[in-house]
Amino acid sequence: MAEEKRDYYEVLGVEKGAGADEIKRAYRKKAMQYHPDRNPGDKEAEEKFKEVGEAYEVLSDETKRARYDQYGFAGVDPNFGAGGGYGGSGFSGFGDFGDLGDIFGSFFGGGTRRANPNAPRRGEDIGARLELTFEEAAFGAEKEITVGRIENCAACGGTGSADGKVETCSNCGGSGQIRTTQNFMGMSMQSTSTCPRCNGKGKVIKNPCTTCRGKGKVRRNQKIKVKVPAGVDDGQSVRVRGEGCSGTNGGPNGDVLVEISIREHPIFRREDLTVYVEIPITFPQAALGAELQVPTLEGKVPYTIPEGTQTGTMFTLPGKGIPMIGNSRRRGDLRFRVVVETPTKLNREQKELLSKLAESLDGNSKKSKSFGEKVKEFFD
């Protein structure tokens, strides 16, 4: 009877002026909460699930919603004899609920359709971390790490049975799902739930393996080799194929995704493929020019800086940086920045020499002279 029904907006927990997206979000939440697959054997949840589906069927359809807003249940329920209603074709497998089947597909893997529990399934991937030196990341390396993964039980060959005997579940016929049909408002409603006898596996083991307790899988630590390509950067991942968890029913193994972290280097700094290094020089080297021994990833390289080099000047050694992943012939550059080091703890003789030098250079600094003129112009 109409008076026994709750208002559709109340059922979904939305206001009367709610938009289509808000109604769909509310429906998704409620349907997830009360779906029979998540509440096996719960009659109250089953009734609420039907109620939520009925409310959404009306409020998601502009025409039906308009009739409901104007006439109430009489505008959409054929039991009231006011036209409209559910179209007379019945309700089976969400076929008359528009996008209801699509919504449940996103929740439960295809609405009322269920994947074959005995079909081959790929094993899960595993995440791991690996710390490398600056040089190992630059030129590549082969490292060994230990990962914890799910493997097929060696004692039972992954069957879960101590004697190797596995029977098809007689309750669900091997599908892992039980389908029930109920009448609702003169319509036939079908729903599926996990088979309670085999827990959705479709198989029954009468003599479980004592090692894996009938699961067919065990967790073990395993050492694997990781080939790190030259040029890998901090935060990137290296995929080791087939070394993840074992597949099910003959499915392939998963992979191991190794996240790379790079130790900080005492001299070098990296940005993409470019390597940066800072080199301290003396005042005489900056003023007169000098040949420096520049550290690179392969060793020291001589480089002559010109006289009058200013502190902070950047120089480039092409092709001395990080190799590109997949193309070791292409490399970035090494850029070094010179910093003039001011001497400290001078003796008397050194101070006298510097004082004489300063007197001889008085007025010879173009930058100092230009700056002085700008300051004078500003204050005047």
Side-chain angles (χ1 to χ4, degrees):
M1 296 297 292
E3 60 269 22
E4 297 175 352
K5 289 188 176 185
R6 286 200 299 157
D7 177 70
Y8 288 149
Y9 293 102
E10 179 186 345
V11 170
L12 295 183
V14 297
E15 298 294 330
K16 191 171 183 179
D21 289 340
E22 184 180 353
I23 289 174
K24 179 175 285 190
R25 285 195 299 270
Y27 166 71
R28 286 173 178 262
K29 182 179 179 180
K30 296 286 186 181
M32 285 280 285
Q33 181 180 355
Y34 298 120
H35 195 277
D37 285 359
R38 294 184 171 228
N39 303 275
D42 189 335
K43 295 296 182 181
E44 183 179 353
E46 189 174 315
E47 291 303 318
K48 287 185 178 295
F49 176 72
K50 297 175 185 177
E51 185 182 43
V52 167
E54 179 184 343
Y56 181 73
E57 193 276 339
V58 172
L59 297 185
S60 63
D61 186 293
E62 292 185 6
T63 302
K64 294 179 182 178
R65 182 178 178 181
R67 290 203 301 266
Y68 175 73
D69 288 344
Q70 186 172 2
Y71 302 110
F73 295 111
V76 293
D77 192 336
N79 292 334
F80 283 81
Y86 295 96
S89 60
F91 170 31
S92 177
F94 306 119
D96 300 315
F97 270 54
D99 63 351
L100 228 58
D102 294 336
I103 290 175
F104 280 116
S106 66
F107 288 157
F108 306 106
T112 56
R113 296 178 182 177
R114 294 292 186 266
N116 181 1
N118 301 316
R121 293 197 302 275
R122 182 179 180 274
E124 293 184 359
D125 292 338
I126 301 173
R129 288 179 62 86
L130 175 62
E131 185 180 65
L132 301 175
T133 65
F134 195 93
E135 291 81 1
E136 286 173 336
F139 297 117
E142 184 172 298
K143 309 290 283 187
E144 190 175 71
I145 64 173
T146 301
V147 296
R149 66 186 183 187
I150 305 298
E151 299 180 349
N152 289 326
C153 175
C156 64
T159 64
S161 173
D163 54 12
K165 295 180 181 180
V166 180
E167 299 178 2
T168 300
C169 177
S170 58
N171 194 40
C172 64
S175 68
Q177 301 290 329
I178 300 297
R179 175 172 294 185
T180 57
T181 303
Q182 294 179 328
N183 292 322
F184 174 63
M185 295 177 62
M187 298 172 291
S188 177
M189 178 177 178
Q190 292 183 345
S191 64
T192 57
S193 59
T194 301
C195 176
R197 184 164 185 259
C198 65
N199 294 319
K201 296 180 180 179
K203 297 178 180 180
V204 176
I205 299 172
K206 292 186 177 180
N207 186 15
C209 171
T210 56
T211 302
C212 63
R213 297 180 181 179
K215 295 180 179 179
K217 304 283 185 181
V218 292
R219 178 179 289 275
R220 285 199 178 95
N221 290 332
Q222 183 69 35
K223 290 184 177 181
I224 65 170
K225 291 184 178 180
V226 182
K227 291 185 178 181
V228 181
V232 67
D233 205 350
D234 191 78
Q236 292 182 334
S237 294
V238 176
R239 183 182 292 271
V240 185
R241 299 192 180 278
E243 293 291 353
C245 295
S246 297
T248 302
N249 299 325
N253 293 351
D255 301 333
V256 177
L257 299 176
V258 184
E259 183 180 347
I260 301 297
S261 64
I262 302 175
R263 257 179 252 151
E264 188 175 337
H265 197 279
I267 298 174
F268 302 119
R269 179 175 60 85
R270 173 180 175 177
E271 289 185 13
D272 196 15
L273 300 182
T274 304
V275 174
Y276 292 89
V277 62
E278 192 171 276
I279 301 178
I281 61 174
T282 65
F283 173 74
Q285 286 177 314
L288 302 176
E291 183 179 279
L292 306 179
Q293 294 297 315
V294 181
T296 71
L297 295 173
E298 290 99 342
K300 295 181 179 180
V301 174
Y303 190 94
T304 301
I305 60 172
E307 62 180 48
T309 295
Q310 302 298 309
T311 186
T313 302
M314 192 79 75
F315 298 93
T316 301
L317 293 177
K320 291 295 183 179
I322 304 294
M324 176 180 286
I325 293 181
N327 185 4
S328 58
R329 294 183 179 180
R330 183 177 177 182
R331 294 181 59 176
D333 300 332
L334 182 142
R335 304 194 70 195
F336 69 94
R337 177 175 175 265
V338 295
V339 179
V340 178
E341 186 177 12
T342 303
T344 59
K345 297 181 181 180
L346 298 173
N347 59 34
R348 181 180 296 178
E349 182 182 358
Q350 290 170 332
K351 290 180 180 179
E352 289 176 354
L353 290 172
L354 283 178
S355 295
K356 291 179 180 180
L357 177 63
E359 291 175 3
S360 68
L361 293 176
D362 187 30
N364 194 33
S365 174
K366 293 181 180 180
K367 288 186 177 180
S368 178
K369 184 177 180 180
S370 174
F371 178 73
E373 291 175 352
K374 290 179 181 179
V375 171
K376 182 180 180 181
E377 180 181 349
F378 176 76
F379 286 103
D380 290 345

